[in-house]
Amino acid sequence: MKFDRNTIALTLIISSVVLVVLGVTLGSLYQTAINQQKQRLEEFVRGQAQLIGAVARFDAEYSYADVAGGAFGATVGQVIDAFAGYRELGETGELLLARRVDDHVSLLLRSRATDSDPSTLPLSSPLGALLAEVIDGRSGTGVVVDLDEVEVLAAFAPVPELGLGLLAKIHLDELRYPFVVAGAISTASTVVLIFLGAALSGRVISPLQRRLRESQTNIDTFFESPTEGMFLLSDGVYAGCNAHLGEILGCDREELLGKSPLEFSPETQPDGRSSLDAGMAHFTKMLAHGPQYLFWQHRRSDGRPVDTYISLREVTLEGQSLILGTVHDVTRLRETEAELSKASRQIEEQRDHLAHVGRLSLLGEMTASIAHEINQPLTAISNYTQAALRMAQRDGKHTEALSDALRKSAEQVQRAAEVIRRLRGFVRKDEGVRERVDLNDVVRDVSKLAEVDARHHGIQIELGLSEEVLAVSADPIQLQQVLLNLVRNAMEAMEETDEVTVSIETGEQAGRVYARVKDRGVGLSKVEERVFEPFFTTKDTGLGMGLAISKSIAEEHHGRLECEPNPDGGAIFVLTLPLASQYDDSQLGVPR
Ligand code: ADP
């Protein structure tokens, strides 16, 4: 049979307690027995001493002179006759009658004496010394060491009539013996009984304990779910919870115990109700209608919100009504939901942008044909103006003023035709080509294209062009598109400021050419990281595609488009391209 440590400890404790109680009981019984024995001995000795005294007085008065030893001898003789072989004091009990003789004590009577027993005692022996004191008049009881070194209980009284001392003694061992036997028997039987009881209870209790442990383990496993927080509420505070709830709420399980769930909830729930009101409403509903499943926002100990789904049910444990709750952390799920809906909103927006881009490209194509259409009447007007001028000169009817007006009309018509030509070029949808072009020329074209817009914005375009030819191998229309976009952005960035100048500088550096568009507008402080992202715009009507397209055009030309803040305020955009001589000249003028 196997005892577990608890059973052994319990058995030892019970045994110790029982043995101590037994010891104390036997001890006090023993003490009582000794006291009674003392009293009995004392009464006996005192009675006998008085009796002997009375006999002595009688003998002194009436004894015959012929008795050996006289009256004293007569009395002592009677006493010896009466008590020789006296056995009434128990197994070891003995009666002594002693007389003092010089430096020793002479024993006149030893009721149990054998021949080998001494009949005198030296005063130096404890018994001899005591008897001497008794002869001198001392009476009472005490424990004294006998001649054979054994402890005895003694009662003694003097017989003053004869100058003798009477002492009755009995071995303490004899008095102790029944108690030692009783102690041994009861100790042995107690220990046996306790161990029997332990073994028996082990038989009965062990299976119960095992079942209890198993069910406790099951409860623990259930409670220690790694995926759900679990808690028991009693009187509105956490009476128990698992470690996972601690993880969800960002603290140790122990920190939760004794606290209210409200301490781990924000003031208000996302539906606008105070956490207190919402909590009370859920509990009331649960008590009335059974288990509840609900969304609850917790607040972690670090202050962060945690979205959870909770189930609440009422349970009864050891007669006490409690609330059992399971908690699922759904924060990640809700974040993903939010991210998904944000992404789908962005897709919507981009779809709108694309539709807009589509409309613009349609407009571009229409612009090309409109420009073509307008070119016809412009050519006609130009012809008519020339003809009118010639006719006026030939008929001699012309006045200087008329000629001047007609010449100016012809010039303006030319100018309009030039604008239309550039516009057509700009919006045509050719395959990209690579031509050897001077970047300075591209910039000049762009400044002319932007002229109308610039006037409209009240802005001046200042050119700082390199005097060298900056030959690049490029599609001039695409380069125009990049630079025109930069200039228009620059002008729009200055709309809210008092600045009026956009400057374009060109130059060459380390085998590369650059065009730098500089403005003193709102600058790039918040947007620098994002300006090249497709569809990134800060403008109400912007598309956010200009810089993204420009950058990819620059890269297709083995160049770069970069931006940096203007130290004087505003922004600088720099288009850098390789010099044509460094690039494959054989491709010049060849469609890609
Ligand atoms: P859009 O002009 O349609 O907004 P862009 O791609 O050309 O698209 O520009 C994207 C964004 O970059 C602009 O909305 C603006 O916020 C910023 N940006 C472009 N150029 C400048 C500039 N010169 N100064 C300040 N911000 C600029």
Side-chain angles (χ1 to χ4, degrees):
M1 181 168 308
K2 265 172 64 185
F3 292 111
D4 65 14
R5 283 170 57 190
N6 289 344
T7 313
I8 293 175
L10 192 68
T11 309
L12 287 178
I13 290 169
I14 294 176
S15 309
S16 316
V17 171
V18 170
L19 290 180
V20 167
V21 171
L22 209 65
V24 170
T25 312
L26 284 176
S28 63
L29 281 176
Y30 170 70
Q31 205 51 52
T32 313
I34 290 283
N35 288 341
Q36 279 178 357
Q37 189 68 24
K38 260 186 194 169
Q39 206 179 341
R40 253 189 14 239
L41 268 187
E42 197 175 4
E43 282 167 4
F44 170 73
V45 168
R46 201 174 284 145
Q48 295 309 318
Q50 281 170 0
L51 192 65
I52 293 170
V55 174
R57 279 195 301 278
F58 179 84
D59 281 345
E61 207 167 333
Y62 301 107
S63 67
Y64 301 102
D66 57 345
V67 176
F72 176 84
T75 310
V76 171
Q78 287 175 64
V79 173
I80 291 172
D81 281 347
F83 288 106
Y86 188 70
R87 290 282 186 273
E88 302 307 312
L89 291 176
E91 282 290 304
T92 58
E94 193 175 22
L95 195 67
L96 304 182
L97 186 65
R99 170 185 198 181
R100 175 89 176 262
V101 180
D102 301 330
D103 58 348
H104 62 268
V105 170
S106 164
L107 298 178
L108 304 177
L109 169 69
R110 290 195 65 178
S111 63
R112 229 175 238 287
T114 59
D115 290 343
S116 59
D117 284 333
S119 57
T120 59
L121 295 175
L123 290 181
S124 55
S125 69
L127 191 59
L130 176 64
L131 280 171
E133 285 177 32
V134 176
I135 294 164
D136 288 344
R138 182 177 163 196
S139 66
T141 58
V143 174
V144 65
V145 179
D146 203 352
L147 290 176
D148 44 8
E149 302 295 320
V150 176
E151 277 191 329
V152 291
L153 176 66
F156 37 83
V159 186
E161 291 85 353
L162 299 175
L164 300 179
L166 188 66
L167 183 145
K169 63 182 174 68
I170 184 164
H171 283 187
L172 274 180
D173 282 346
E174 186 184 335
L175 297 177
R176 283 184 191 134
Y177 182 72
F179 294 95
V180 172
V181 172
I185 291 173
S186 45
T187 304
S189 50
T190 305
V191 170
V192 167
L193 278 177
I194 287 173
F195 273 92
L196 265 180
L200 215 69
S201 69
R203 275 256 159 115
V204 178
I205 290 169
S206 285
L208 288 179
Q209 279 179 333
R210 200 175 53 247
R211 287 230 300 277
L212 198 68
R213 267 199 301 275
E214 279 170 8
S215 68
Q216 185 61 43
T217 315
N218 286 343
I219 290 175
D220 285 351
T221 324
F222 170 67
F223 218 56
E224 280 316 323
S225 156
T227 53
E228 289 173 325
M230 301 194 82
F231 62 81
L232 275 173
L233 285 185
S234 168
D235 295 331
V237 298
Y238 291 119
C241 66
N242 66 359
H244 192 68
L245 185 67
E247 281 169 34
I248 292 176
L249 299 180
C251 57
D252 285 342
R253 178 209 338 232
E254 285 69 29
E255 290 175 50
L256 293 171
L257 299 180
K259 294 197 180 140
S260 157
L262 289 175
E263 291 185 47
F264 298 89
S265 309
E267 280 289 303
T268 49
Q269 288 296 307
D271 63 7
R273 284 188 294 174
S274 78
S275 290
L276 178 63
D277 290 347
M280 291 308 290
H282 290 309
F283 285 139
T284 315
K285 217 161 153 196
M286 179 202 69
L287 293 175
H289 305 292
Q292 294 293 309
Y293 303 92
L294 51 114
F295 172 80
W296 188 261
Q297 191 167 71
H298 281 97
R299 193 186 51 209
R300 286 168 59 88
S301 54
D302 59 12
R304 273 192 295 138
V306 195
D307 293 337
T308 58
Y309 273 114
I310 302 187
S311 79
L312 290 178
R313 69 177 65 235
E314 203 185 357
V315 291
T316 308
L317 223 73
E318 290 168 0
Q320 200 190 350
S321 168
L322 303 169
I323 293 167
L324 172 68
T326 57
V327 183
H328 280 278
D329 183 351
V330 292
T331 312
R332 191 71 209 104
L333 202 71
R334 305 225 347 148
E335 279 171 5
T336 315
E337 262 172 30
E339 278 163 18
L340 273 176
S341 76
K342 189 175 161 204
S344 88
R345 260 199 322 279
Q346 278 177 352
I347 288 173
E348 287 281 308
E349 279 170 22
Q350 291 186 2
R351 204 177 292 142
D352 292 349
H353 279 311
L354 281 175
H356 192 184
V357 171
R359 285 198 296 279
L360 280 192
S361 89
L362 199 64
L363 191 68
E365 280 167 29
M366 280 161 59
T367 311
S369 45
I370 291 166
H372 177 73
E373 289 297 315
I374 290 175
N375 230 11
Q376 309 275 333
L378 276 180
T379 313
I381 294 168
S382 173
N383 290 343
Y384 289 136
T385 320
Q386 298 291 341
L389 192 57
R390 272 198 306 277
M391 273 158 40
Q393 283 170 347
R394 194 183 54 217
D395 299 347
K397 288 183 189 163
H398 78 286
T399 62
E400 248 337 279
L402 180 61
S403 302
D404 194 40
L406 287 171
R407 211 173 300 116
K408 281 190 176 152
S409 304
E411 267 173 35
Q412 290 305 314
V413 168
Q414 279 303 315
R415 189 148 179 246
E418 180 65 10
V419 171
I420 296 295
R421 187 186 62 76
R422 278 205 207 91
L423 206 58
R424 279 182 65 196
F426 190 67
V427 298
R428 74 163 196 259
K429 259 188 115 188
D430 282 348
E431 289 287 293
V433 293
R434 287 290 187 268
E435 296 170 13
R436 191 185 182 86
V437 287
D438 183 353
L439 187 61
N440 292 320
D441 288 342
V442 180
V443 172
R444 276 187 209 98
D445 280 348
V446 166
S447 83
K448 286 205 180 103
L449 271 171
E451 210 173 72
V452 182
D453 225 9
R455 251 202 314 278
H456 182 70
H457 281 91
I459 294 236
Q460 270 183 342
I461 299 174
E462 220 172 65
L463 299 184
L465 303 182
S466 153
E467 290 179 2
E468 308 293 321
V469 171
L470 302 177
V472 289
S473 165
D475 178 337
I477 299 297
Q478 287 188 353
L479 290 194
Q480 279 179 22
Q481 184 177 349
V482 172
L483 289 170
L484 189 61
N485 187 39
L486 296 183
V487 172
R488 285 178 57 87
N489 277 347
M491 294 194 295
E492 284 169 359
M494 298 206 302
E495 250 168 15
E496 307 286 303
T497 67
D498 298 334
E499 300 292 334
V500 290
T501 313
V502 171
S503 69
I504 313 176
E505 296 160 13
T506 58
E508 183 194 336
Q509 201 175 32
R512 296 172 77 83
V513 298
Y514 63 83
R516 196 194 297 264
V517 180
K518 212 193 272 189
D519 68 60
R520 304 200 50 192
V522 292
L524 300 166
S525 57
K526 288 189 190 130
V527 296
E528 188 171 347
E529 304 292 314
R530 305 195 56 196
V531 287
F532 294 110
E533 277 176 23
F535 300 115
F536 172 75
T537 181
T538 53
K539 301 169 193 167
D540 291 345
T541 55
L543 268 180
M545 286 303 290
L547 287 176
I549 293 173
S550 300
K551 193 174 171 71
S552 69
I553 291 176
E555 283 163 3
E556 269 174 40
H557 285 79
H558 304 273
R560 288 198 307 269
L561 180 60
E562 290 154 317
C563 66
E564 59 193 63
N566 184 349
D568 301 327
I572 303 176
F573 282 80
V574 189
L575 170 68
T576 320
L577 296 166
L579 260 174
S581 53
Q582 289 193 337
Y583 191 56
D584 186 6
D585 271 352
S586 65
Q587 282 190 6
L588 293 184
V590 178
R592 271 182 304 163

